[in-house]
Amino acid sequence: MANKIVLADTSILIDYFRKTEKSKSVLIKLFNQEYDFCISAITEYEIYPGATPAQFSFWNEVLRNVKVLAFDQSVVKEAVNINTALKIKRKQIDLADLFIAATAVAHNMPRATLNRKHLAL
């Protein structure tokens, strides 16, 4: 049973979807390292507009048992803090990525991403 939880961003789920051999996906590697995962409501939103109708059943099945963390006031406050710090550095990021990072910070959990640019947040 997994004993560590990580917030998986959209890139982790897309990686899992695209890999023919699922065991080589980052998501499965996380499980093998005894991580469990949850996602932000923003990630859930990002998945569906990018999916074709034929892919909906795949995503519905994958997300059926995934804990989705809400975009709430604590996340908004963290997003403002992160954005302010990034603005000073002139390194602002896409709003969806900002909100996902803020969700991880608000819930005090590590974030799993394939976007190296966002690892430093």
Side-chain angles (χ1 to χ4, degrees), residues 26-69:
V26 172
L27 186 63
I28 298 303
K29 290 176 183 175
L30 287 170
F31 283 134
N32 291 340
Q33 295 172 20
E34 298 186 351
Y35 280 94
D36 202 349
F37 78 99
C38 59
I39 62 171
S40 164
I42 305 305
T43 293
E44 184 176 28
Y45 166 76
E46 284 188 311
I47 289 295
Y48 285 106
T52 66
Q55 296 168 346
F56 284 177
S57 63
F58 172 86
W59 288 115
N60 289 337
E61 183 65 30
V62 168
L63 298 176
R64 178 174 291 134
N65 295 310
V66 174
K67 181 175 182 176
V68 178
L69 301 177

Side-chain angles (χ1 to χ4, degrees), residues 3-120:
N3 57 10
K4 302 174 276 188
I5 299 176
V6 64
L7 183 84
D9 82 357
T10 312
S11 67
I12 299 295
L13 296 181
I14 298 298
D15 174 66
Y16 178 76
F17 172 75
R18 290 183 176 162
K19 294 273 197 249
T20 303
E21 194 172 330
K22 303 296 187 204
S23 65
K24 293 190 178 200
S25 70
V26 172
L27 186 63
I28 298 303
K29 290 176 183 175
L30 287 170
F31 283 134
N32 291 340
Q33 295 172 20
E34 298 186 351
Y35 280 94
D36 202 349
F37 78 99
C38 59
I39 62 171
S40 164
I42 305 305
T43 293
E44 184 176 28
Y45 166 76
E46 284 188 311
I47 289 295
Y48 285 106
T52 66
Q55 296 168 346
F56 284 177
S57 63
F58 172 86
W59 288 115
N60 289 337
E61 183 65 30
V62 168
L63 298 176
R64 178 174 291 134
N65 295 310
V66 174
K67 181 175 182 176
V68 178
L69 301 177
F71 184 75
D72 60 16
Q73 287 181 318
S74 66
V75 174
V76 170
K77 287 177 185 177
E78 291 299 339
V80 169
N81 293 338
I82 294 168
N83 190 57
T84 299
L86 291 174
K87 193 173 186 179
I88 290 168
K89 296 177 187 178
R90 296 184 178 184
K91 296 195 181 234
Q92 287 178 283
I93 60 173
D94 178 71
L95 279 179
D97 294 324
L98 173 67
F99 294 157
I100 293 167
T103 302
V105 172
H107 292 274
N108 195 31
M109 63 177 48
R111 190 170 29 112
T113 182
L114 296 178
N115 189 335
R116 293 178 186 265
K117 183 173 119 179
H118 299 157
L119 289 174

